[in-house]
DNA sequence: CTGAAAGCGCTAACAG
DNA sequence: CTGTTAGCGCTTTCAG
């Protein structure tokens, strides 16, 4: 049988409570008994039952991470980098991590609040939140601590960490414009994610600033999927005119686009320049290396964890909004447009 | 306040236990009261306190995943693919997942058993286990359910899922030999991981089978790190002779080696052929595409989860050992050795 | 500084 | 079929 406080108490000839106090060290205890008890606990190999403790103190010391479970789930570098950041922070404060991947479609209704009420976790981080998520509003109203990652909503009930997506897209387009491009296409991410919407907005903003046309036939629906981007790029070849450059809402889709272009015998950047978003590891391994907007993904993970822990422990008036900087990384996939066009 | 069994019981005019039974559906209850209770529970938005349940039934319905926390941790595709496999299986059986990344050096002594005794988890999966892990033996002796991934030990107390590493290395070398190579080098993984040791053994086996020399100067210490492999490849250039081909214990290191060779003006496979191990996503994006031994990483994750759940629920005599097949994927990084050498 | 009593919210076990 | 009692192992609270 496992050793409990009770058994240590017996052996030490004291009350259970005294043992608890001696071991937690959060209360006045004579040095003597403390030492004695600690020694006995050590000898017996005592390890507190953390479930029992959680029940008693009404805290699980655990945070939950929620994310849609796509074909890729963890394979997606974006998510794994965020996890890495979250983990690093959370462990510092002795919190544990529980994972809640949910089916992308047909998720159990009220998942967030039901897990929140289960007392399994003290707070949650939401990854890849969709704007039409049916459970988000009730979570926000419930007051349960949570942070959305790369999501944005002007509402005091919402807490989030996002990067400057709009600015990122602007940097990308400005870069292309400065190279002399005028016909610039765009690969859109999921229309249900605020960061995709923001990037699109940034693109349109700069285009209109320079009075450049944004033809619908140059807008590719990619939904943050390399495969979709690859397929839908086909449509460029049935249109009347081709763009000389394309901004993609993420690197994976940019790669999908490049594959399709290559298949049609076009060269990057010779025929078409491409800019990605994220700066995933792959970006510098493909040929040509991808010019992209770097998001500090790992930092986003860290920030979201910090925010969540502050929310949980209400240390002070926690800012519940944070935007991180992005940066344009120029590599080989962009150049001035071909003269002959 | 949160709604508990007690409150539902009051409202329904029955005992707490009756409510528990009605909701769990695991006991005889009149259809009538069951329906009534369920309705009330629903209206009140009841969600069981899972912590309390765990304490009572003495099961957490959670498994733990342990892994060394390197600079990369999740960024490592190998680990993330395994996680993906584990997640898919575990969720099917309504188990939850908790993460325990630990510092690679200076891990708290007795971590496994202390977590095991904390009752937070019902079983654990160990990733990247080192052969000299000081806590493994006591875990194995404790009888607590656990499975090692890509680890191998002839001992009934140990459970593991591994791939046929030795055979994989053999396939790689045989491939090179069949192309005509005789001077074949090797990039070793961590000498503390059985899979690295096995791959090395497979390499040496085939080399000696064909009476080929394995010069120490052709053996590169990579420790499963791309950076180390990159650096240590330098030593090839101070030796008297160069290999015409190199087998690497994983793809990342193979990439590191290729970078170094390229830096010295050597071409792959023109001057030196390279074979990797794992078949990570990057392998087919680099130039030239990497010939490699594919490990079914995702499947390994699934198998380990299945094994663990069987161990936890002792459904039957669980086999506690499993070896998965590997496969040689031939791509552009290998060719016949250059004539002029 | 230490102890006793009570309770966190659930379920197992035994009555009825 | 339903209720009662007891207990999971810890901490909080209140006495002393």
């Amino acid at each position: 049988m496992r050793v409990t406080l009770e058994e240590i108490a017996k052996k030490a000839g004291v009350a259970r409570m005294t043992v608890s106090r001696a071991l937690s060290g959060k209360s006045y205890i004579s040095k003597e008994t403390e030492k004695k008890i600690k020694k006995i606990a050590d000898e017996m190999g005592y390890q507190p039952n953390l479930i029992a403790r959680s029940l008693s103190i009404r805290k699980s010391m655990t945070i939950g991470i929620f994310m849609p479970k796509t074909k890729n789930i963890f394979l997606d570098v974006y998510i794994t980098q965020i996890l890495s950041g979250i983990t690093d922070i959370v462990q510092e404060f002795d919190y544990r991590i529980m994972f809640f991947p949910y089916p992308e479609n047909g998720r159990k209704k009220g998942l967030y609040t039901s897990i929140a009420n289960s007392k399994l976790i003290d707070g949650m981080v939401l990854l890849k939140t969709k704007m039409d998520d049916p459970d988000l509003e009730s979570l926000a109203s419930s007051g349960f601590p949570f942070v959305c990652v790369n999501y944005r909503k002007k509402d005091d009930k919402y807490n989030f960490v996002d990067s400057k997506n709009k600015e990122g897209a602007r940097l990308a387009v400005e870069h292309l414009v400065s190279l002399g491009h005028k016909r610039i296409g765009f690969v859109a991410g999921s229309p249900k994610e605020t960061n995709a919407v923001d990037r699109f907005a940034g693109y349109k903003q700069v285009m209109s600033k320079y009075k450049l046309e944004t033809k619908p036939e140059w807008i590719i629906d990619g939904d943050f999927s390399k495969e979709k981007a690859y397929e839908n790029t086909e449509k460029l070849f049935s249109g009347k005119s081709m763009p000389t450059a394309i901004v993609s809402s993420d690197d994976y889709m940019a790669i999908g686009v490049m594959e399709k272009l290559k298949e049609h015998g076009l060269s990057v950047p010779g025929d078409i320049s491409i800019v990605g978003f994220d700066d995933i590891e792959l970006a510098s391994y493909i040929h040509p290396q991808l010019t992209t907007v770097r998001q500090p993904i790992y930092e986003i993970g860290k920030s979201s964890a910090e925010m969540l822990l502050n929310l949980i422990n209400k240390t002070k008036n926690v800012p519940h909004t944070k935007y991180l900087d992005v940066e344009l990384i120029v590599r080989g996939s962009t150049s001035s447009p071909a003269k002959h066009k």
Side-chain angles (χ1 to χ4, degrees), chain A:
Chain A
M1 201 40 213
R2 276 194 60 258
V3 18
T4 66
L5 285 186
E6 186 65 45
E7 296 169 51
I8 301 180
K10 264 186 205 145
K11 203 160 224 163
V14 297
R16 205 161 73 218
M17 200 51 230
T18 308
V19 180
S20 170
R21 282 196 269 248
L23 297 180
S24 76
K26 282 178 186 167
S27 212
Y28 295 108
I29 285 263
S30 80
K31 281 284 160 223
E32 235 178 315
T33 49
E34 179 176 341
K35 199 170 271 179
K36 185 174 79 179
I37 290 175
K38 278 192 170 162
K39 183 156 166 267
I40 297 182
D42 228 49
E43 285 168 6
M44 302 181 75
Y46 175 70
Q47 165 62 39
N49 180 323
L50 264 18
I51 296 282
R53 177 180 288 168
S54 284
L55 182 60
S56 185
I57 68 174
R58 262 149 285 205
K59 280 194 241 168
S60 66
M61 296 302 286
T62 302
I63 69 147
I65 300 181
F66 288 72
M67 67 200 126
K69 178 173 168 152
T70 59
K71 185 165 44 46
N72 288 314
I73 178 174
F74 294 117
L75 308 188
D76 189 333
V77 191
Y78 166 81
I79 283 191
T80 57
Q81 284 205 46
I82 288 186
L83 288 185
S84 205
I86 295 177
T87 309
D88 285 350
I89 293 300
V90 151
Q91 286 218 322
E92 253 179 62
F93 295 90
D94 273 324
Y95 273 76
R96 289 161 229 123
I97 294 178
M98 212 170 227
F99 258 118
F100 297 91
Y102 53 80
E104 197 158 28
N105 303 306
R107 181 182 71 199
K108 222 177 66 197
K109 195 175 156 356
L111 180 67
Y112 305 145
T113 43
S114 91
I115 299 284
N117 283 329
S118 77
K119 299 293 167 187
L120 283 175
I121 55 178
D122 298 335
M124 52 178 77
V125 175
L126 269 32
L127 263 32
K128 301 223 87 170
T129 315
K130 303 287 182 295
M131 291 157 75
D132 62 353
D133 188 318
D135 300 324
L136 200 53
E137 181 57 30
S138 66
L139 174 65
S141 306
S142 76
F144 187 80
F146 79 102
V147 172
C148 292
V149 169
N150 269 5
Y151 183 85
R152 182 180 58 71
K153 176 150 183 160
K154 280 205 195 79
D155 184 328
D156 277 0
K157 300 198 304 291
Y158 285 73
N159 321 294
F160 60 81
V161 176
D162 199 1
S163 44
K164 297 179 179 166
N165 288 301
K166 212 163 164 182
E167 182 184 324
R170 271 190 248 126
L171 290 176
V173 181
E174 290 277 7
H175 167 63
L176 292 170
V177 168
S178 78
L179 287 173
H181 291 274
K182 294 190 186 324
R183 307 208 304 272
I184 302 173
F186 188 80
V187 186
S190 164
K192 295 179 177 175
E193 299 187 30
T194 60
N195 53 355
V197 171
D198 289 345
R199 288 170 200 175
F200 200 11
Y203 157 76
K204 284 188 285 197
Q205 202 175 67
V206 179
M207 291 301 275
S208 89
K209 169 180 163 193
Y210 291 108
K211 309 235 184 313
L212 298 175
E213 217 181 341
T214 58
K215 295 205 185 180
E217 55 189 276
W218 297 343
I219 307 300
I220 296 163
D221 173 23
D223 204 28
F224 286 138
S225 144
K226 189 183 116 182
E227 287 69 31
K228 264 203 188 137
Y230 169 82
E231 282 165 28
N232 292 341
T233 300
E234 190 64 46
K235 92 178 213 191
L236 287 184
F237 297 92
S238 51
K240 280 155 282 176
S241 67
M242 284 285 257
T244 61
I246 297 176
V247 172
S248 169
S249 297
D250 85 6
D251 289 343
Y252 272 114
M253 296 193 296
I255 291 172
V257 170
M258 283 170 73
E259 283 174 4
K260 175 63 82 180
L261 295 180
K262 195 174 288 180
E263 219 177 84
H264 278 271
L266 294 186
S267 85
V268 175
D271 297 306
I272 297 191
S273 287
I274 302 218
V275 185
F277 210 115
D278 279 355
D279 194 26
I280 63 177
E281 186 183 28
L282 255 181
S284 54
Y285 282 102
I286 57 172
H287 186 80
Q289 296 189 345
L290 191 63
T291 293
T292 189
V293 178
R294 179 181 293 162
Q295 253 197 116
I297 312 188
Y298 171 82
E299 304 298 331
I300 291 176
K302 279 177 83 162
S303 293
S304 63
E306 279 162 0
M307 190 181 285
L308 183 60
L309 294 182
N310 282 333
L311 245 22
I312 290 174
N313 299 307
K314 297 208 180 56
T315 38
K316 49 204 158 186
N317 264 355
V318 186
H320 50 223
T321 281
K322 187 164 184 178
Y323 291 96
L324 299 189
D325 288 330
V326 296
E327 179 188 4
L328 181 74
I329 309 290
V330 178
R331 297 203 185 92
S333 68
T334 47
S335 70
S336 294
K339 310 276 155 41
H340 60 85
K341 294 238 164 183

